[in-house]
Each structure stands twice: as structure tokens, then as C-alpha cells.
Amino acid sequence: MASSIEFKLFAPYNEGAAVVGSFSNWEPLPMQKGEDGHFRVRVDLADGEYQYKFQVQSKSWFFEPDQWVDVTDPYATNVDGTSSEENAILHVKEGERIVDTYVWQHDDVPLPSDRELVIYELHVADFTGGEADPKARGKYCHVIEKLDYLCELGINAIELMPVKEYPGDYSWGYNPRHFFATETSYGTTAELKQLVDECHGRGIRVIMDGIYNHSEASCPLTQIDHDYWYHHEPRDPDNNWGPEFNYEHFDENLQTYPARRFIGDTVRYWVQEFHLDGIRYDAARQIANYDFMHWIVEEAKQTAGGKPFYNIAEHIPETTSITNIDGPMDGCWHDSFYHTVLAHVIGETFDLEQLKDVLDAKRQGFMGLTNVVNYLTNHDHNHVMAELGDRGIFDEDAFRRRRLGAVLVMTAMGVPMIWMGEEFGEYKGKTIDSAKIDWTLLDNDLNRNLFEFYQGLIALRKTNQALHTENIEFFHENPEAKVLAYTRWNDEGSRVVVVANFSDQFLAGYAVPNFPANGTWHEWTGNYDVEAGNDQLMTDLGAWEAKVFVWNG
């Protein structure tokens, strides 16, 4: 039995449009434009799967005036990315358009608050493609296979690099062509939902990397009427990755902001359809419109309902204005943390004031714990082991420094983030080509020990309430020995102390004065108890070592 299905295309200033599809033997069906700027036509369709596209008289300046062009539906939720000519895919079931038939299983599982998060950033294709074939590209199902590993590590949030449909077979995803469709090479929409659902079942939140500054050059909107949705040309040619959405343009006739309208629709769709728990907003500095960002963040949170939802800006360099009282975002990537801590772990510099500034982001003007996301690397940078290797630092020396960096990420004021493979010492340099992380490294003692070190630190970060506060005090600094000590605490008696040695010298019997409390402390990384007395604590500090003392009372 056939049902009437509507096809519509928002193209308010275009002269003509038609739909062609498998249901019309690819012959055009003319569409009529309404006063709301939508072209519409209804087609009687039985339940099933259909392919289609629009034909439209383009208003984009790079075509001939009113030239007819083929465009994929900008709102297509499934796209056939395998054919030479991309088509939208329509699923009809029981007389209605559907995305898929996935049934959610774990919506009732409580999820951690923003303050409790330990984020793991991963790229689906390079995270894993199954252990049997080290060259196979990863899919959503392979990430699901690794969730037990991530639970063993202890993380409670994953941040997926962009998974919207992009052209070609491999990409980091920062060139989205279709904003409602998922990347077909990773799997189906139902498989992505299953990944999110399985994460939720394990108490893991899912944050999605969203690209709202720009699109890939042949995104359907660019073909319909480029300057209706985009700036005519890049505002900053040196930082341009594609046509840039124009969030200032207001259509007086229809009383709408076209770019805001489209991106608002896509954000609401993704949050609602895929049950997301947060968004990382790529290139927020280039978006450069706080009014739009306030609005889109509110749209995302309202769509998410009452559950925690974390909005994170990638604003490089970071700025307090994007997160503080009048700022649109909950948090931002803390890029000065990366640059400063990496330089100290490598041994290129030692500057106590710089260190303190990034370990306590309040000194930089940030107001709260969730305002900054701290990392020692991410997809934009080399793995730390690659940076160390480039400087001739290998083996145990490299792993010592890597552990020092891990302590600082997990105990600084802010939300910690790990780039995939960092937790066991992945060493390959950054590349835009396929570069799967090497899981066989976990068979090596040094790599496995680093994993277990991270495991312990993550457990501490999640369970010790002192690390969920903004409280941090630097109570001992020794520029000559390159030692810095700080404490984190809450008002219920939880306290953590970090004593870090940024030198290549072993410091035997080092006395740490002004220790926060006399009594028994547990050294977390080595799992032993030690006594503090006379307001000081004595400890051996290895080269490039940080010790973590937890108050026992």
C-alpha cells in the first residue's frame, strides 16, 4: 500500500526545482514553491528504500545564471556515498519517513556530570579495524568491540572526531559535505546509535565533534545559492578550510537567519536522534559570533533535556570570554596547557609562573573547573612519544617524562582529555593519512606499565572529590631543583598533593616543606603509605617524576 510522502527543498530565491529518483525512473517531478521558501511535491510510495536527488536552478555565482544543477538533499539522513553520483536515500516504513529502526536500550543509565569526566578522543577509522587485520579501517562496530578496553582504562566519556558524511574513503571529518548523514564507511546510522547506546550502558558519555564554521566545497547548500548561507569569500584566507557559514546574514523577507536555521536543525537532529551528551565546536575562533554560539548551545541543551550536556569550544588560542559569565560555552580546549606542559616534559624550558598559570586556569581568568579541557596532545598534534623521539629521548627516559605529563593532566584544575593511544605510548607522528594506533605495543612491559599508570590516575581523578573542585594551591616551589608542589582539596576532607620534579636529577630524601597536613598519606602511583610530620614530608623524587599523595587522615 502506497502512502503520500512529501519532498521539500528550501531554496527561497531559486526559480525552479524538481525531484528525480528511483521512484520516477529518474525523470524529474516538478516542485512548487510556497511563500515560506520551500519547494514541495508529494509522491505516493510503498514501504521500502528509495534513492533520489533534487534538480534546482542555481543562484550560486560560479554557475551560469539559473543553470540547472543536481544537488543531494541538504537534509538527507542517509547518502549513497559509493556511487559516482551521490544520491540521498529515503527509507519509508508504515507510510512514514524513518532514519532506521534502532531501539534504544540504555537511556535510563545515570551518566557522570561534567566535573567527573575523563574524555578519550578517538577517530573511528584509526582507532581500530579489528585486531585480526592491522590495516583494516575502523568502523562503529569495532569501537564497540573496544569498549571493554576503555572501561578497563576507566574513561567515562569519548569524544568522536567528526562522523558526518565526507567525500572520499578517508578523512578526519573536518570537510563535512552532508550535515545530517553519517559517514557510510564507518557503518549505518543504526550502528552509530548502537555505539552510543553501548557507551551509555557502561556509563560512558558520548561527545561529538561538530563542524559549524564551514563545509566542504560541494556541500549541497553551496550549489543551491552559495551566498544565501555562506560568506562570499573567506574572512581569514590563512585559516580557511572551506565555504564559511554566514551567521550574520538575515533574510528580511522570511524573517530568518539562513545559516543559523540550517545549523540549528542539524544540531537538534543529532542530539535528538543519536542521544548525544555533548558537542565540541570546531574552529570557534573562526565562527567569531557569540550571539550565534549562545543560541546554538541553548538549542543543544534544550534538545538534550534534563541530562548533562557539555558544550566545548575549540578556540585556539583559548580565551576566557568564551566560557565565563557572558560566554556561550561550558568549556574550551586549553591549548596553552598543551604547549606549556609539553615544553616542560620535553625539558625545553622551566618557568614556574607559566606552569602555575596552566595548572590553575583561574590564574588565566577562567572561573570554573569545567571551563578548560586539559590535554598533552590531541589529533592536531604529534603523540608525546613522537615529540620525545624527535629529540632523541627514548625508552625509560621517555616513559618517565610521559608519566610526569599524565599526572599533570589528571590533577590540574580542569577536565582531562586523552588522545587515543597516549595511554600506552603510541609513538607515530601526526599524519592526515590513515594511521591506525598500534595495539601490539601493549605487549611491551613499558607500554603496559604506562597503561596501568594511566589506569590508576584515572581512577583517582574520577573518585577523589578534591579533583572535582576549582581548588588548587601551590605551596612549595624550588627553582634550583626544578620542583613544584601543589594541593587540591574539597570542603569535606578530601585532599591530594602533587610533588613534581622537572629535572633529570634524582633527589634523594627531598624534604617538602609546608605540607598541608601532618599524618598518614598514601602515595598513589607507588601504592605505599608515608608519614608527614613537623609540617613537612620526606620523599625520594626520581628524575622527571611526579608523586601523588592522597590524604588518609
Side-chain angles (χ1 to χ4, degrees):
M1 179 177 173
S3 300
S4 178
I5 301 296
E6 182 181 72
F7 291 83
K8 67 178 183 178
L9 175 68
F10 185 60
Y13 298 102
N14 299 67
E15 290 299 319
V19 64
V20 300
S22 56
F23 45 78
S24 70
N25 199 27
W26 297 99
E27 292 297 321
L29 302 176
M31 305 173 74
Q32 300 300 315
K33 184 163 62 172
E35 292 182 358
D36 63 356
H38 281 96
F39 286 90
R40 290 180 172 88
V41 68
R42 301 194 74 91
V43 181
D44 289 338
L45 297 177
D47 286 2
E49 178 181 303
Y50 303 89
Q51 295 203 4
Y52 71 99
K53 67 178 63 171
F54 292 120
Q55 294 176 341
V56 64
Q57 287 182 274
S58 176
K59 286 188 65 67
S60 298
W61 40 266
F62 42 82
F63 290 120
E64 295 295 323
D66 292 326
Q67 178 180 335
W68 284 91
V69 297
D70 290 348
V71 296
T72 309
D73 185 351
Y75 282 75
T77 58
N78 287 277
V79 173
D80 174 14
T82 59
S83 64
S84 57
E85 295 185 6
E86 286 182 334
N87 297 316
I89 299 174
L90 167 65
H91 297 285
V92 179
K93 184 178 181 182
E94 297 176 359
E96 301 286 343
R97 284 175 172 263
I98 64 165
V99 177
D100 53 54
T101 57
Y102 187 80
V103 178
W104 293 85
Q105 304 294 319
H106 302 296
D107 279 347
D108 57 345
V109 176
L111 298 172
S113 70
D114 295 348
R115 286 180 173 270
E116 299 171 288
L117 295 184
V118 178
I119 302 171
Y120 190 92
E121 188 194 14
L122 67 88
H123 180 256
V124 172
D126 288 342
F127 182 56
T128 175
E131 298 305 299
D133 183 355
K135 293 185 179 179
R137 62 177 297 133
K139 300 178 181 292
Y140 301 129
C141 61
H142 297 126
V143 180
I144 292 173
E145 291 172 1
K146 281 292 184 185
L147 289 183
D148 288 345
Y149 164 84
L150 293 176
C151 287
E152 181 188 5
L153 177 60
I155 63 96
N156 55 15
I158 62 171
E159 182 176 303
L160 293 175
M161 287 175 65
V163 298
K164 295 181 179 68
E165 184 75 52
Y166 53 71
D169 295 329
Y170 179 87
S171 170
W172 281 358
Y174 294 101
N175 54 336
R177 178 179 288 174
H178 302 290
F179 279 74
F180 288 78
T182 61
E183 172 53 35
T184 48
S185 67
Y186 297 161
T188 64
T189 56
E191 287 170 327
L192 175 56
K193 290 177 181 178
Q194 184 185 2
L195 168 57
V196 176
D197 207 10
E198 292 288 343
C199 285
H200 288 168
R202 293 165 170 81
I204 297 173
R205 285 172 60 179
V206 179
I207 298 167
M208 194 73 74
D209 201 333
I211 318 303
Y212 308 121
N213 170 66
H214 63 278
S215 75
E216 191 264 344
S218 55
C219 173
L221 297 182
T222 68
Q223 314 297 295
I224 297 168
D225 187 351
H226 182 284
D227 289 2
Y228 188 64
W229 285 279
Y230 299 93
H231 290 284
H232 184 72
E233 55 189 25
R235 291 170 295 174
D236 180 4
D238 292 334
N239 291 287
N240 172 250
W241 303 283
E244 296 171 350
F245 287 107
N246 183 353
Y247 296 115
E248 290 78 43
H249 174 222
F250 183 70
D251 182 337
E252 292 282 355
N253 294 329
L254 295 178
Q255 291 292 295
T256 189
Y257 288 93
R260 298 188 194 197
R261 174 180 179 150
F262 178 75
I263 295 300
D265 288 347
T266 189
V267 165
R268 285 187 294 269
Y269 168 78
W270 277 85
V271 174
Q272 186 170 35
E273 191 72 27
F274 295 96
H275 295 203
L276 301 183
D277 310 295
I279 295 174
R280 180 257 192 194
Y281 297 77
D282 182 67
R285 178 169 177 260
Q286 281 69 38
I287 293 174
N289 187 314
Y290 277 20
D291 184 55
F292 160 72
M293 284 191 269
H294 272 291
W295 176 78
I296 199 65
V297 162
E298 189 59 31
E299 292 295 304
K301 288 191 172 183
Q302 285 185 1
T303 306
K307 71 174 184 177
F309 196 91
Y310 195 22
N311 290 283
I312 309 165
E314 183 220 25
H315 193 293
I316 308 295
E318 75 265 9
T319 173
T320 57
S321 67
I322 205 162
T323 63
N324 284 358
I325 294 174
D326 297 325
M329 297 289 170
D330 302 314
C332 69
W333 273 20
H334 196 189
D335 212 49
S336 61
F337 183 98
Y338 156 75
H339 288 288
T340 300
V341 173
L342 181 67
H344 283 77
V345 167
I346 288 171
E348 288 181 343
T349 188
F350 183 72
D351 186 319
L352 278 169
E353 295 306 310
Q354 280 188 0
L355 265 178
K356 291 191 292 184
D357 282 348
V358 298
L359 293 170
D360 178 8
K362 297 192 304 299
R363 288 169 54 109
Q364 296 174 314
F366 291 98
M367 299 182 68
L369 178 94
T370 58
N371 287 165
V372 290
V373 175
N374 297 322
Y375 47 85
L376 205 46
T377 191
N378 59 44
H379 68 267
D380 279 330
H381 302 293
N382 283 332
H383 285 289
V384 177
M385 284 300 188
E387 295 284 356
L388 292 166
D390 286 346
R391 292 158 177 81
I393 302 169
F394 300 105
D395 303 324
E396 179 56 45
D397 188 15
F399 281 90
R400 273 197 302 270
R401 297 171 192 244
R402 193 63 200 79
R403 290 191 293 269
L404 168 61
V407 169
L408 300 180
V409 170
M410 291 297 162
T411 62
M413 199 277 281
V415 173
M417 185 178 77
I418 304 167
W419 168 232
M420 63 178 190
E422 278 298 300
E423 72 278 10
F424 58 76
E426 175 59 82
Y427 60 89
K428 288 191 287 291
K430 182 184 73 170
T431 172
I432 59 172
D433 300 317
S434 182
K436 285 178 60 174
I437 58 176
D438 184 359
W439 292 97
T440 65
L441 292 173
L442 280 164
D443 297 333
N444 303 328
D445 288 343
L446 284 172
N447 299 84
R448 169 56 66 172
N449 290 342
L450 179 60
F451 169 84
E452 292 170 354
F453 189 82
Y454 259 103
Q455 202 177 28
L457 286 175
I458 292 170
L460 177 67
R461 174 60 177 72
K462 291 197 305 181
T463 58
N464 195 295
Q465 301 295 314
L467 299 176
H468 301 166
T469 72
E470 290 78 22
N471 301 329
I472 181 169
E473 179 186 359
F474 302 97
F475 66 89
H476 171 65
E477 41 194 89
N478 183 338
E480 290 74 28
K482 297 184 179 178
V483 173
L484 177 65
Y486 55 92
T487 181
R488 305 286 311 279
W489 73 94
N490 72 355
D491 295 332
E492 283 78 49
S494 295
R495 188 178 282 276
V496 174
V497 167
V498 176
V499 182
N501 177 12
F502 292 89
S503 79
D504 58 3
Q505 300 299 306
F506 180 85
L507 304 176
Y510 188 88
V512 185
N514 306 313
F515 216 75
N518 295 321
T520 304
W521 292 75
H522 185 73
E523 204 290 306
W524 190 264
T525 65
N527 193 25
Y528 60 89
D529 289 342
V530 62
E531 295 292 323
N534 298 319
D535 299 328
Q536 71 172 12
L537 182 142
M538 298 278 289
T539 187
D540 292 340
L541 281 176
W544 308 105
E545 182 179 38
K547 290 196 169 178
V548 182
F549 300 96
V550 180
W551 174 241
N552 280 348

